[in-house]
Amino acid sequence: MSLERLIDLHDGWQMAEVPEGLDGPALAALPADAWLPAAVPGTAHGALLAAGRIPDPFYGRNEADVRWVGERRWAWRLGFEAGELALKEDLVFEGLDTYCAVWLNGERLLVSDNMFVPQRVDVRERLKPGRNELLLCFEPALARARDVEAVQGKRQLWNGDSARLHVRKAQYHFGWDWGPELIVAGPWRAVRRHGWSARIEDLSMRSELGAGMATLRVEAQLEGEGGRCEFELLDPEGRSVATQAVPTSGRARASATLVVADPRLWWPRGLGGQPLYTLVARVLDGERMLAESRRRVGLRTLRLVQEPVDGEVGSSFHFEVNGQALFAGGANWIPDDNLLERITPARYRERVGQAAAANMNMLRVWGGGIYEHEAFYEACDEQGLLVWQDFMFACGLYPANAAFMSSVRAEAEAAVKRLRHHACLALWCGNNEDYMLAESVGLAGPGVPAERFEARALYEGLLPEVCAALDPDRPYWPGSPFTPADASGQGVKSSDATVGDRHSWEVWHQQMLPYQRYGDVQARFVSEFGMQSHPSLALFESVLPPAERFPESRTVQWHNKAGSAAGPDGHRRLAVYLADNLRVGPTLADHVYATQFVQAEAMRVAYQDFRRRWQRPGARAVGGALVWQLNDCWPVTSWALIDASGAVKPAWHAVRRAMDMLAVAVRLEAGGARLAVMNGAMAPAAVKLQLRVFAMDGQVLAETGVAQEAPPSTCVETVLALPGFDEPVVAEVLALDPRDGRELARDCAWTEPFKFYSLAGARLEIAAEDQVLRLSCDRPVKGLWIRHEGLALNDNFIDLMPGVGRCVASGIALPRSLTATALDLPATTFNLLKGGG
């Protein structure tokens, strides 16, 4: 019996455009000059771009000039040596995007039509001694989808071409309101050759925690030879803490129970550590190991809590880990590139690390993208970010015919089996906004018969059935947003704010409410909300032709995909929010700063107002807030906190401060200031609140304070009386450690709108000492944004008050100079060697 052998087939591929009607052996007869080098994993766009055959799709308006790529057929070929054969030989395709036929030595092996379903084919008898040729042919996805649509009929949707609803492909490839239309094709995940006499098809675990021990019920699905299966659990340091072997001769499954004393629990970030055990299963023949499978697992309990909210109608919607309730503050995640092969494990770790550094504890993998690469979930495991995982359905009325359902079942089973061992995975969710769309066209909602919305067969039938069978200990939620039926069994609109989750788009979309009113559109769990801004100036200019680098240019507008039924209107909505709040200068740099300013202020208000409603146990009125969105897939004006170059926007810092384990918020009210202390820790916090009110010339108009106790995982509020002011003011609250006076948190509230008064004339000083910037001013400074390529400051977009200066640390050696901008203060270069501007 042979040992298991896994060989990546990633090098030496070539790609060619092929005409209609050319298949199988005829593909191999294409002339040599028709073929280009191609990477696997890869896409046709990526191969053409590397060969210089197409321009960068992200530059200017090149997106339109490369649309033809998605309309053609593309063949991929690889020659490889058979070598010594194992008892069993499989070819494994982890992802073929999307309509693909595969041949080996002229014989057709398979036809695939779902990019999310891995394929495995036995080729032991098909491999020839010496050289073998593998051929893949990808059909144009949009054309194929339109063929299906022509038979089954058009269906309603938001974003992209209606035919996308019939094809199991990443839906954002067809264009979205933040992304280009790039309909890529190719072997987007690994292609491998697997030689084996025994293999572990699947390895699963269910755990129970209690009384100082963990009980793990483990099961392996087996193929092939072997006399016994050994299960072992390694602790985070790699030491064996439990083991059991079971005989397997003639069995397709092996199971065992492992018991661990004093288990080390996995926690979301901020509440504890993230120790990861390793579950190992081995197939043995005597003492000889034939196959092995490993899973890194965390030991924890998780519960979705829906219970009454004191003094309010409806019920809560929040998560509890290891018995500890937590406010889930985080973001929605989209694919980090349109060419998925470019997203390396290091890039996944960087993005997830940026979310963690912003004090987030949850990411939602949105349903119009992909079931992400293993590196994403591993990074979330390691850094303590919970994952809300959508199934890949978004903004459409999907079919529920037998063929479609069969494909979705295979897709869902593959996704659940691959991801269910991750400690970070908190919830499976059926779709994104499909119930909202059904309501908008009268197919769902109060008084509407359930059968009118046929995709309920997916979201309330097939998908929960798969999850219950394969991952029964993790909650399933039919959609986002979703509102369960009321006690009478009648449908309830998904916009209901008293139960379930909600997408609060009254700000930006819908009524275009002022962002200052986020508190009016709260919900039990706000799973989407957001405000647009431009990307960084450096990234923007890198994709704008020089003649187009002004705010109203055609290319600037092209890189804003937001729209409505009336057509593209993101630029108009952005202009309204600018006009309502600021006076904006004429340059592109002015507009980049202004849009990022408004986004940051909107996020400060939103996260604070949502988190302020996370009060005592029994009064968890808002259980979480996930901004739309964390990241971008290309250089674009969007709702992202991090642009496509990886640069964080000012809003990232606003979220980081609002989501700190201890945060404060201040709001000016008639006759006073409302102060909130938000404590996310499992221990109580005692702080001294210090409030100062400044005039715009720097004069202190009022000063007061109060001691405040904040119990664990709560928000507490107090109102301090203030005199009335006939002039614009800014109120600054500091939370100080009562023992040593150390600053723990701060926040500022300004008279708004900012456009009605000027903050010009402040004298700003920036000096450097080692890797610390020392900041000071003589009058209030709003939105101080410090820039230099590669500079990573632990705080930025700062409100700076006269008096005691601020210190900001850098993660790298400080440069010789940097640029600083603030509201009504022009961009100024500061020479750090001299300490002045």
Side-chain angles (χ1 to χ4, degrees):
M1 288 183 285
S2 56
L3 298 176
E4 190 175 29
R5 183 183 68 236
L6 199 61
I7 302 171
D8 288 340
L9 298 179
H10 291 168
D11 298 326
W13 285 86
Q14 294 178 306
M15 185 194 78
E17 181 184 346
V18 293
E20 290 291 334
L22 202 62
D23 287 316
L27 297 175
L30 288 170
D33 61 2
W35 297 91
L36 300 171
V40 172
T43 58
H45 284 79
L48 293 167
L49 185 60
R53 299 292 182 91
I54 60 171
D56 182 354
F58 293 171
Y59 185 83
R61 301 194 298 278
N62 288 344
E63 171 196 350
D65 296 333
V66 302
R67 191 165 287 143
W68 64 270
V69 178
E71 299 169 353
R72 308 294 172 84
R73 302 176 78 221
W74 299 99
W76 300 61
R77 73 177 184 185
L78 174 71
F80 66 96
E81 297 292 324
E84 182 181 354
L85 300 184
L87 182 65
K88 300 282 189 179
E89 290 281 352
D90 294 344
L91 285 178
V92 180
F93 304 90
E94 293 192 357
L96 298 170
D97 183 8
T98 292
Y99 293 102
C100 179
V102 180
W103 292 266
L104 177 64
N105 298 327
E107 179 184 356
R108 192 162 82 172
L109 296 181
L110 64 93
V111 175
S112 176
D113 62 0
N114 187 324
M115 76 175 281
F116 305 121
V117 178
Q119 303 286 344
R120 175 183 287 269
V121 185
D122 178 1
V123 294
R124 179 64 172 78
E125 302 305 319
R126 297 178 171 100
L127 289 170
K128 302 186 304 185
R131 193 156 183 83
N132 292 259
E133 184 166 69
L134 183 60
L135 282 166
L136 318 176
C137 186
F138 293 89
E139 304 290 339
L142 183 56
R144 286 288 301 272
R146 284 175 174 168
D147 289 343
V148 178
E149 184 181 58
V151 175
Q152 299 193 0
K154 282 184 175 289
R155 310 176 72 86
Q156 289 174 293
L157 82 167
W158 298 323
N159 295 298
D161 191 288
S162 59
R164 71 169 171 83
L165 300 174
H166 297 278
V167 54
R168 295 312 299 146
K169 175 177 174 57
Q171 301 287 272
Y172 82 110
H173 287 167
F174 297 88
W176 220 264
D177 60 3
W178 37 257
E181 179 190 322
L182 288 176
I183 306 179
V184 298
W188 73 289
R189 282 194 166 148
V191 177
R192 295 190 170 104
R193 179 179 165 189
H194 190 188
W196 54 280
S197 59
R199 68 183 181 91
I200 300 170
E201 168 68 16
D202 185 38
L203 176 60
S204 62
M205 179 193 83
R206 297 179 68 181
S207 62
E208 294 179 7
L209 301 178
M213 67 174 53
T215 302
L216 279 60
R217 293 179 173 83
V218 297
E219 184 175 89
Q221 182 178 336
L222 309 175
E223 299 279 349
E225 306 289 341
R228 71 183 191 280
C229 183
E230 180 182 88
F231 297 99
E232 184 177 23
L233 189 70
L234 308 178
D235 72 10
E237 288 71 43
R239 298 174 299 229
S240 180
V241 292
T243 184
Q244 186 177 351
V246 295
T248 61
S249 296
R251 291 185 181 178
R253 294 184 181 273
S255 58
T257 299
L258 304 178
V259 177
V260 183
D262 300 319
R264 292 151 66 179
L265 300 185
W266 184 95
W267 290 92
R269 66 167 308 284
L271 298 181
Q274 292 79 44
L276 294 172
Y277 291 75
T278 302
L279 175 64
V280 186
R282 303 181 185 94
V283 177
L284 302 168
D285 176 38
E287 297 305 313
R288 190 177 186 217
M289 186 175 72
L290 302 181
E292 181 181 84
S293 182
R294 291 173 175 255
R295 300 281 189 274
R296 294 176 76 204
V297 299
L299 303 181
R300 55 106 179 114
T301 63
L302 184 143
R303 190 165 70 100
L304 174 60
V305 181
Q306 299 178 79
E307 62 186 15
V309 179
D310 288 355
E312 301 186 24
V313 299
S315 57
S316 70
F317 186 104
H318 67 271
F319 293 89
E320 181 184 279
V321 178
N322 301 327
Q324 174 64 42
L326 74 152
F327 181 88
N332 286 264
W333 170 277
I334 66 168
D336 207 52
D337 205 317
N338 285 86
L339 306 188
L340 292 165
E341 68 269 25
R342 300 197 296 203
I343 315 174
T344 63
R347 187 159 147 190
Y348 277 116
R349 286 192 295 272
E350 177 187 357
R351 288 292 172 277
V352 172
Q354 288 173 308
N359 294 315
M360 295 181 180
N361 58 21
M362 177 173 278
L363 293 175
R364 172 180 172 234
V365 178
W366 167 75
I370 61 172
Y371 306 97
E372 283 293 346
H373 190 280
E374 195 70 14
F376 170 83
Y377 302 96
E378 289 173 351
C380 291
D381 282 343
E382 293 163 2
Q383 300 191 54
L385 275 86
L386 296 169
V387 172
W388 171 310
Q389 177 68 56
D390 283 4
F391 286 98
M392 293 300 118
F393 303 90
C395 300
L397 300 181
Y398 288 87
N401 57 69
F404 191 84
M405 296 276 279
S406 176
S407 182
V408 170
R409 181 177 294 277
E411 167 188 326
E413 289 177 350
V416 174
K417 287 180 179 180
R418 180 170 70 90
L419 301 178
R420 62 187 171 185
H421 68 279
H422 285 286
C424 65
L425 191 59
L427 176 140
W428 294 104
C429 177
N431 70 82
N432 173 80
E433 295 187 349
D434 291 2
Y435 284 92
M436 283 178 65
L437 178 57
E439 290 167 1
S440 75
V441 295
L443 297 182
V448 180
E451 61 269 17
R452 293 201 63 192
F453 181 25
E454 66 179 296
R456 288 183 190 270
L458 289 169
Y459 312 137
E460 299 173 39
L462 188 156
L463 294 175
E465 177 186 315
V466 168
C467 290
L470 299 178
D471 195 15
D473 302 323
R474 189 169 276 111
Y476 172 85
W477 191 244
S480 181
F482 179 76
T483 299
D486 60 21
S488 67
Q490 294 297 307
V492 181
K493 292 201 72 171
S494 60
S495 58
D496 191 302
T498 66
V499 290
D501 74 311
R502 186 178 194 271
H503 292 185
S504 292
W505 280 114
E506 290 84 356
V507 177
W508 180 268
H509 289 303
Q510 298 173 17
Q511 303 98 305
M512 291 184 65
L513 290 181
Y515 67 74
Q516 293 86 349
R517 291 182 59 187
Y518 263 120
D520 296 343
V521 295
Q522 60 186 268
R524 296 305 182 218
F525 193 104
V526 188
S527 44
E528 281 192 23
F529 62 99
M531 175 63 64
Q532 271 203 347
S533 75
H534 291 323
S536 67
L537 182 62
L539 178 61
F540 223 174
E541 290 185 337
S542 75
V543 297
L544 297 174
E548 292 283 286
R549 294 175 186 172
F550 58 93
E552 298 82 12
S553 79
R554 182 177 301 179
T555 308
V556 166
Q557 186 170 324
W558 184 274
H559 284 255
N560 186 341
K561 298 296 187 179
S564 63
D569 66 356
H571 59 292
R572 296 176 59 239
R573 291 173 186 265
L574 202 55
V576 169
Y577 281 99
L578 292 181
D580 283 350
N581 291 282
L582 303 175
R583 288 171 284 111
V584 185
T587 70
L588 184 62
D590 292 332
H591 277 247
V592 167
Y593 176 80
T595 61
Q596 293 189 348
F597 180 105
V598 169
Q599 183 191 38
E601 285 297 294
M603 292 304 97
R604 180 183 70 86
V605 171
Y607 277 86
Q608 289 178 349
D609 279 1
F610 297 153
R611 193 177 175 191
R612 284 165 59 188
R613 296 276 283 146
W614 177 258
Q615 297 176 353
R616 67 186 187 280
R620 309 299 198 186
V622 178
L626 307 179
V627 66
W628 186 269
Q629 63 218 67
L630 180 73
N631 58 323
D632 271 329
C633 62
W634 76 311
V636 64
T637 298
S638 80
W639 301 268
L641 305 185
I642 304 168
D643 73 23
S645 72
V648 301
K649 300 179 183 180
W652 182 91
H653 285 281
V655 172
R656 177 185 56 77
R657 289 188 288 261
M659 276 304 301
D660 207 346
M661 291 302 289
L662 181 72
V664 292
V666 57
R667 298 287 188 271
L668 288 169
E669 301 179 347
R674 181 174 297 274
L675 310 181
V677 179
M678 295 160 278
N679 179 20
M682 292 191 289
V687 299
K688 177 183 177 182
L689 297 178
Q690 175 182 296
L691 179 69
R692 293 187 298 170
V693 180
F694 295 88
M696 293 302 110
D697 64 3
Q699 179 185 355
V700 177
L701 301 177
E703 188 167 2
T704 185
V706 66
Q708 183 71 66
E709 297 281 341
S713 192
T714 61
C715 173
V716 293
E717 293 188 319
T718 187
V719 177
L720 297 181
L722 291 173
F725 304 106
D726 297 326
E727 58 183 312
V729 298
V730 54
E732 177 191 59
V733 63
L734 302 180
L736 306 176
D737 190 319
R739 297 165 297 183
D740 57 15
R742 179 171 52 92
E743 180 183 318
L744 303 175
R746 80 165 65 202
D747 187 43
C748 294
W750 300 69
T751 301
E752 297 189 48
F754 296 101
K755 67 181 180 179
F756 286 160
Y757 57 91
S758 174
L759 287 173
R763 179 172 174 79
L764 176 64
E765 299 285 346
I766 301 180
E769 183 177 316
D770 297 326
Q771 290 184 202
V772 175
L773 293 177
R774 298 190 178 277
L775 315 176
S776 62
C777 62
D778 63 345
R779 62 180 66 183
V781 172
K782 175 64 186 176
L784 177 62
W785 183 238
I786 301 170
R787 293 183 290 113
H788 185 84
E789 185 176 358
L791 187 63
L793 300 177
N794 70 348
D795 198 10
N796 210 335
F797 194 71
I798 295 164
D799 290 357
L800 189 62
M801 299 298 119
V804 179
R806 297 276 295 277
C807 291
V808 177
S810 171
I812 62 172
L814 289 169
R816 300 171 69 89
S817 65
L818 49 75
T819 301
T821 310
L823 190 64
D824 291 337
L825 297 179
T828 302
T829 299
F830 286 80
N831 184 337
L832 298 183
L833 296 180
K834 296 180 179 179

